[in-house]
Amino acid sequence: MNLTHYLTAIEQADTYMRYGKVLRVVGLMIESQGPDANIGEVCYIHSSNKLKKPVLAEVVGFNNEKIILMPYAEVTEIGPGCLVESAGTALQVKIGRGLIGKVVDSLGKPLDNSKLPKGLANYLTEQSPPNPLSRPTITEPIQVGVKAIDSLLTVGKGQRIGIFAGSGVGKSTLLGMIARNSGADINVIALIGERGREVKEFIEKDLGEEGLKKSIIVVATSDQPALMRIKGAYTATAISEYFRDLGYQVNLMMDSVTRVAMAQREVGLATGEPPTTKGYTPSVFATLPKLLERTGTSEHGTITAFYTVLVDGDDMNEPIADTVRGILDGHFVLDRRLAEQGQFPAINILKSISRVMNQIADKTHLDTAQKIRSLLAKYEDNSELIQIGAYKRGTDHEIDKAIAFNPMIKNFLKQDIFEYVTLEESINHMQKLLNGGAD
């Protein structure tokens, strides 16, 4: 038996435990003298109370050879001189098929305090995006199960979409519909910065029992520290990557990427970064592409990603919305005006786009979708004249056609929350509508 490998490992092993000590705590930041640790590594801060579990923290910066740490949990019973121990590695979570149907926190621990199933693998939460040349092109559509999307904004397997809306316009409801009706194998849903009340509500009402059976939910509520909210997004993405590498078609739904950016801003300001556009720090705009580029296609499987973007005051050009729109492969705009008129999902078709639809839809489908867009645009351009009665029928044939079709199109775009429609049915309904035979 060859023991050389084991003997070498014993010789190279460091048998000393090295600790640092806490010097000060300011707001979100803990400053310690030592131990040896690199950016991104996890450290344990040992309380003076031996009965308390060590506080988990991450190295986020350095200041005059002192280490700047940020905790994953609320800091209690931490004082000057508390011991700081380095784990020697970045954050890892346990991932596997046993997680399906579970609700976990940012560290991968079940929220119902149950034990994790056996047979899970350790996986780093921070991974590099796939090599651009190893990414297959998107060639197949995926069923989303929402008529307006499947017919007019068709999504491809491995596409990344932004869902842009103000508060209370139906983002979470739309995500629940996609999770239940989608043709993906597994859903990974990240609820970042949500109100605690909304988590159970989303699981029971929007997602439902059927949706939960093929979903893994990662939760980081708004009351948790900034680092926990950021890690929630990274953990959900890592879980998606794990299943993609096994060859699954995965749906990643993140609600919302804006709150991830806000958490990153908190961390950046605490570590001394200068605030730039609307108070966001430069690290926010460096973090977003790294996070969003990890999803999409790889040689093994696909991650079709839906990121909700909370736009302040319905301003679609605010910094985060603008940055995310530039990174992703399309965007769906939820319009408050349509929601007020009772159209759900309130997707504004004219302001929304799927950048890969031309590659994945056949010519008949594209032509039909384009004709319906033209009718919507024609009605929208002349809506004021039509509504005040200034337009006389017969003046313009195209406007007359738009007026005739508008009620049918509006009716087609509406969908009940629990209504199930396949991709083929959505396209057939749209084609019947244009031929005057829609239901």
Side-chain angles (χ1 to χ4, degrees):
M1 188 178 176
N2 188 1
L3 298 176
T4 312
H5 177 72
Y6 298 99
L7 292 170
T8 307
I10 291 167
E11 284 172 15
Q12 291 176 349
D14 187 354
T15 54
Y16 289 94
M17 291 284 283
R18 290 179 172 80
Y19 293 93
K21 65 176 183 177
V22 172
L23 297 178
R24 64 174 188 151
V25 177
V26 181
L28 302 173
M29 188 178 71
I30 299 169
E31 200 172 278
S32 82
Q33 184 77 53
D36 288 340
N38 301 320
I39 291 276
E41 276 186 23
V42 173
C43 290
Y44 300 100
I45 303 172
H46 297 271
S47 167
S48 50
N49 181 349
K50 300 297 179 190
L51 299 174
K52 281 271 187 182
K53 284 185 177 179
V55 173
L56 220 59
E58 185 177 305
V59 179
V60 293
F62 301 97
N63 180 26
N64 294 331
E65 297 186 11
K66 295 182 183 71
I67 291 174
I68 298 170
L69 299 152
M70 279 213 176
Y72 289 124
E74 291 299 326
V75 179
T76 53
E77 298 191 29
I78 295 289
C82 283
L83 294 178
V84 181
E85 176 192 354
S86 172
T89 179
L91 181 67
Q92 293 186 335
V93 291
K94 289 190 176 293
I95 305 174
R97 290 184 182 88
L99 279 186
I100 298 170
K102 298 252 180 215
V103 182
V104 299
D105 66 11
S106 301
L107 307 178
K109 295 172 183 171
L111 279 189
D112 59 2
N113 296 319
S114 63
K115 285 189 176 180
L116 281 170
K118 291 181 179 177
L120 303 181
N122 282 326
Y123 201 82
L124 284 168
T125 59
E126 294 202 34
Q127 302 282 340
S128 300
N131 185 316
L133 294 182
S134 72
R135 284 186 188 266
T137 53
I138 299 167
T139 54
E140 283 181 72
I142 188 168
Q143 177 182 300
V144 172
V146 178
K147 283 190 292 184
I149 296 172
D150 281 340
S151 57
L152 295 162
L153 300 162
T154 314
V155 175
K157 287 180 182 175
Q159 189 174 354
R160 298 160 306 145
I161 292 285
I163 299 172
F164 293 73
S167 53
V169 188
K171 295 186 303 299
S172 299
T173 307
L174 180 59
L175 287 186
M177 287 174 76
I178 294 169
R180 285 193 312 275
N181 301 341
S182 164
D185 302 321
I186 292 172
N187 297 313
V188 180
I189 303 167
L191 302 176
I192 310 296
E194 286 289 310
R195 304 173 189 89
R197 172 186 65 81
E198 287 184 334
V199 173
K200 200 167 183 183
E201 214 171 80
F202 175 82
I203 294 165
E204 289 179 358
K205 291 186 180 176
D206 295 330
L207 190 60
E209 200 176 319
E210 283 303 306
L212 187 58
K213 278 181 188 173
K214 65 169 191 175
S215 301
I216 299 166
I217 302 171
V218 181
V219 175
T221 50
S222 56
D223 58 297
Q224 291 182 319
L227 207 58
M228 257 320 231
R229 282 174 272 146
I230 296 167
K231 288 298 162 190
Y234 280 94
T235 298
T237 308
I239 293 169
S240 304
E241 288 169 323
Y242 174 84
F243 285 104
R244 176 180 65 185
D245 291 345
L246 292 178
Y248 286 91
Q249 312 294 332
V250 185
N251 266 359
L252 169 64
M253 284 166 267
M254 193 176 290
D255 186 15
S256 72
V257 75
T258 308
R259 294 199 175 106
V260 177
M262 287 174 172
Q264 184 61 46
R265 175 173 64 183
E266 282 180 50
V267 171
L269 290 172
T271 53
E273 280 190 75
T276 52
T277 320
K278 272 205 173 179
Y280 287 102
T281 55
S283 65
V284 174
F285 302 103
T287 300
L288 285 174
K290 285 179 190 170
L291 177 64
L292 304 182
E293 282 291 342
R294 284 169 62 180
T295 54
T297 58
S298 79
E299 62 263 41
H300 306 294
T302 64
I303 301 172
T304 308
F306 298 88
Y307 298 99
T308 69
V309 181
L310 187 64
V311 287
D312 296 332
D314 295 323
D315 173 19
M316 297 295 164
N317 295 316
E318 58 97 35
I320 299 304
D322 217 30
T323 304
V324 171
R325 194 165 48 236
I327 298 166
L328 299 179
D329 311 318
H331 52 272
F332 302 158
V333 176
L334 301 189
D335 195 324
R336 193 176 297 279
R337 184 175 54 84
L338 294 176
E340 287 163 356
Q341 291 170 6
Q343 181 179 315
F344 287 101
I347 301 169
N348 187 321
I349 300 296
L350 297 175
K351 289 183 180 176
S352 306
I353 191 167
S354 167
R355 290 184 184 169
V356 303
M357 185 174 172
N358 289 343
Q359 296 163 219
I360 57 175
D362 61 49
K363 191 174 187 307
T364 311
H365 179 181
L366 287 171
D367 288 347
T368 312
Q370 188 52 50
K371 282 172 187 170
I372 287 180
R373 272 181 172 269
S374 299
L375 289 168
L376 279 170
K378 184 63 76 174
Y379 188 90
E380 190 71 27
D381 290 345
N382 298 279
S383 60
E384 286 183 17
L385 290 174
I386 295 163
Q387 283 161 13
I388 63 171
Y391 174 74
K392 288 182 182 177
R393 281 181 182 274
T395 310
D396 186 310
H397 172 67
E398 288 297 320
I399 297 175
D400 289 344
K401 195 175 171 185
I403 293 168
F405 273 96
N406 196 62
M408 288 190 284
I409 294 171
K410 286 272 174 75
N411 193 46
F412 168 72
L413 294 176
K414 287 180 185 176
Q415 186 172 338
D416 186 67
I417 294 171
F418 293 99
E419 184 185 347
Y420 177 76
V421 187
T422 66
L423 176 68
E424 291 76 18
E425 285 171 349
S426 296
I427 296 166
N428 289 339
H429 283 194
M430 177 178 69
Q431 288 167 347
K432 279 185 188 174
L433 183 154
L434 210 58
N435 296 329
D439 299 332

